[in-house]
Amino acid sequence: MTAVLPAPRTAQAPSAGGPAGARPVRRRRRPVRALLRFTGRWTVRMLVCTAVLSFLGLAVGPRVADYRTMTMLTGSMAPTIDPGDVVVSTPLDVEDVEVGMVITYHIPIDDHRVVTHRVIEVDRTADGTVAVRTQGDANDAPDPWTAVLSGDTAYQVQAVVPEIGNVITLLRESVLSTLFVQLLPIGLGVWMLLAIWRPGREVDDADTHTATAARTEPPGATR
C-alpha cells in the first residue's frame, strides 16, 4: 500500500518592492484632472476646426464656388441683418428679381458702394432693362435712387452668419493679426507634434499596473 502525501506548499516569492503576498499599490485616480485634460483637448480641437472652416467658407469658398460674402456695416437691415453679420449671396438671373427679395448691388450714386437692401419695386422695360427700388428693413423711407441692374446676374442673399464679421474686423488689427496669422499656427503645430510624440500618461499607467499585477500572485496560488 502506498501512502499519498500532500505536496509541500511552495513559499510565496516576495514581489518586487514589497513583502510576500502584498497587493500591488494602485495609483489614485484623478477624475477632475482627467476631465480638465479631456475638456481642454477637445476645446482646442473645436477652435481649430471652427477657424479652418471659417477660413475655407469666407476666404476660399467665394473664389472657387459660385457665391459671395460681405460684412454688414450698418443697421439698415436690422433685425434681419445686424451690423457685423456676414451675408452669403448667390447669383440670380436679373429677370428673376422680384419684390421682397434681399439683394446685394452697387448703388448708382456717390461712391457706388455696395448695399444689401430689400426690393420694394421692380420695373422691366421692353428692351430687357430691369430697374429696382429698394429699402432697408430698419429705414423709414425707400432709398433715394432707382438702380438699374447691369449685366445678366444679380446677387440674392441666401444666408446670414451672425457676428462673424466683427471677429474678422478684430482679427485685422495689427497685434491680433500677427498673433493669429503667425504665432498661433506655430503654437498649434508644436502642440500637435508634442501630442503625437509624447506617450499618453493613461496608457503608461495602465501598462505599469498590468505588469505589476502579472508579477504578483495572491497567497496560495498554484501554477
Side-chain angles (χ1 to χ4, degrees):
M1 181 175 182
T2 303
V4 179
L5 299 178
R9 179 173 299 179
T10 304
Q12 179 67 30
S15 60
R23 294 185 178 180
V25 178
R26 296 183 179 180
R27 295 190 179 185
R28 181 179 300 177
R29 296 181 179 180
R30 299 178 179 179
V32 176
R33 185 175 180 180
L35 178 61
L36 291 177
R37 187 185 303 114
F38 175 82
T39 304
R41 184 185 304 118
W42 280 101
T43 299
V44 172
R45 291 176 181 176
M46 290 179 62
L47 290 176
V48 172
C49 291
T50 301
V52 171
L53 292 176
S54 299
F55 174 77
L56 293 176
L58 299 177
V60 179
R63 299 179 182 274
V64 298
D66 206 7
Y67 68 90
R68 292 181 178 179
T69 59
M70 189 187 71
T71 302
M72 195 70 178
L73 300 178
T74 68
S76 61
M77 283 296 294
T80 305
I81 309 173
D82 293 320
D85 293 351
V86 170
V87 296
V88 181
S89 304
T90 56
L92 174 73
D93 289 340
V94 171
E95 297 179 353
D96 295 333
V97 174
E98 298 179 355
V99 173
M101 291 182 174
V102 179
I103 63 173
T104 298
Y105 68 98
H106 291 272
I107 66 174
I109 62 173
D110 298 335
D111 57 357
H112 300 280
R113 68 183 181 276
V114 177
V115 298
T116 300
H117 280 176
R118 192 177 302 277
V119 177
I120 60 173
E121 183 181 337
V122 179
D123 183 18
R124 296 180 173 87
T125 61
D127 60 357
T129 302
V130 178
V132 296
R133 295 289 305 279
T134 58
Q135 180 177 347
D137 290 354
N139 294 342
D140 296 331
D143 298 325
W145 59 74
T146 298
V148 177
L149 302 180
S150 58
D152 299 328
T153 304
Y155 280 86
Q156 180 185 7
V157 174
Q158 298 289 353
V160 179
V161 184
E163 298 295 336
I164 195 170
N166 292 329
V167 178
I168 296 174
T169 302
L170 182 63
L171 293 179
R172 288 176 179 172
E173 297 293 334
S174 58
V175 176
L176 292 178
S177 177
T178 302
L179 174 63
F180 283 94
V181 175
Q182 300 180 16
L183 300 182
L184 185 59
I186 295 175
L188 289 175
V190 173
W191 177 80
M192 293 177 67
L193 290 176
L194 291 176
I196 294 174
W197 290 343
R198 183 180 59 189
R201 182 173 299 176
E202 294 84 355
V203 176
D204 290 346
D205 292 346
D207 293 342
T208 302
H209 174 67
T210 302
T212 304
R215 291 194 304 266
T216 306
E217 298 179 355
T222 58
R223 293 183 183 272

